[in-house]
Amino acid sequence: MSENINLVAPRSRKGRGAYWLLGALATFGLSVVVLIATFLFGQHGGEEFCPDTFTRRSFYYFQIPLLGLQVTPILRDDTTNSLENYLLAHKLVPPNSTDNPRWDLVMARSAGSRLVRGDAEILCSYLDATNDNQNLYWQRWSNTHSEAAKVLWPLVAQLARQQLYLFVPELFELADGESDPEALAKELNQSLTRQYLRLAKIQEQLGNHQSTLELRNHASRHAGSSAP
């Protein structure tokens, strides 16, 4: 009685080595593609403003496109300009001591996507505004109208810390047309009274009763300050 035995020849070491080499090359090639794509399309960055310290910083990091996997830590650099340093040095912005300063988004962008703008950009657009000689407009104004500056900037800081950047443009518009500190203080307080009450009405319609009460209290304080 005969017995059929099927013998399968084992793969040669040379064949196994070739597969291993192809696998290694494929992995390396994929890694290179991912690395290039990450540096070309994976950079995210932007700028933040701290209303507690009146300073700014830029930030950036890299993440793998599509996967959204962050592959570098967030790197930051100070971008505080000379006007902000001027306000701090001359104590035009009152200190706001806190163990955890808040950073508000000015803007953020990433390769291949649109720019995202934060509310803090409203204030920063004024902090960065220049005149015809490319000097910072509101630094020159503050230096020229030092008493009026003492009226304007604490109120601007107050709004920034309340995240009410939308109120800021009207204050700068009024300051640009009135340099007398007493008259300016009256106009600014009238403006804030009106703006707080307008926002309080909106919050009331939305059913946010606590916010409504707080906004009305702010309006009352400024109404008292603007009374003759």
Side-chain angles (χ1 to χ4, degrees):
M1 179 175 168
S2 62
E3 184 177 351
N4 294 325
I5 301 176
N6 294 324
L7 298 176
V8 178
R11 294 180 181 178
S12 66
R13 293 183 179 179
K14 183 177 180 180
R16 289 197 298 269
Y19 283 118
W20 180 89
L21 180 60
L22 288 174
L25 289 174
T27 301
F28 176 75
L30 180 61
S31 299
V32 171
V33 170
V34 171
L35 182 63
I36 293 174
T38 299
F39 277 97
L40 290 178
F41 306 108
Q43 182 174 357
H44 295 252
E47 189 174 52
E48 298 170 311
F49 173 77
C50 179
D52 297 307
T53 61
F54 256 65
T55 55
R56 267 187 280 180
R57 67 187 184 187
S58 64
F59 66 91
Y60 69 94
Y61 61 92
F62 287 89
Q63 66 179 30
I64 299 175
L66 301 180
L67 297 179
L69 180 62
Q70 185 174 326
V71 293
T72 67
I74 299 176
L75 304 174
R76 297 182 174 91
D77 290 310
D78 181 71
T79 56
T80 305
N81 70 13
S82 63
L83 171 55
E84 291 153 340
N85 286 324
Y86 175 91
L87 297 175
L88 295 171
H90 290 76
K91 296 180 172 55
L92 293 174
V93 173
N96 188 32
S97 300
T98 175
D99 294 331
N100 188 27
R102 191 185 77 232
W103 290 91
D104 294 336
L105 181 67
V106 178
M107 62 86 182
R109 65 162 62 93
S110 60
S113 66
R114 63 182 180 180
L115 185 69
V116 177
R117 302 178 186 277
D119 286 348
E121 187 189 38
I122 298 172
L123 173 56
C124 290
S125 67
Y126 288 94
L127 297 175
D128 291 334
T130 59
N131 57 21
D132 294 336
N133 296 322
Q134 299 305 307
N135 297 316
L136 290 174
Y137 183 88
W138 288 101
Q139 182 172 342
R140 186 176 182 84
W141 180 91
S142 299
N143 192 44
T144 304
H145 307 93
S146 57
E147 294 304 312
K150 294 177 183 178
V151 175
L152 172 66
W153 289 110
L155 295 177
V156 171
Q158 171 188 306
L159 295 178
R161 290 164 184 172
Q162 295 171 342
Q163 291 184 292
L164 293 176
Y165 293 102
L166 291 173
F167 288 11
V168 165
E170 189 168 320
L171 269 61
F172 281 107
E173 182 179 347
L174 291 171
D176 204 22
E178 179 60 73
S179 58
D180 178 74
E182 291 187 6
L184 178 60
K186 182 178 180 180
E187 291 181 15
L188 294 180
N189 281 300
Q190 289 174 342
S191 169
L192 289 176
T193 301
R194 182 173 62 255
Q195 293 192 79
Y196 277 122
L197 287 176
R198 184 166 61 233
L199 184 56
K201 184 176 181 180
I202 294 172
Q203 292 299 311
E204 184 178 28
Q205 292 171 346
L206 294 173
N208 299 326
H209 303 297
Q210 183 62 36
S211 296
T212 301
L213 179 60
E214 292 175 358
L215 290 166
R216 284 178 174 170
N217 287 337
H218 287 305
S220 297
R221 285 194 290 271
H222 288 286
S225 297
S226 62

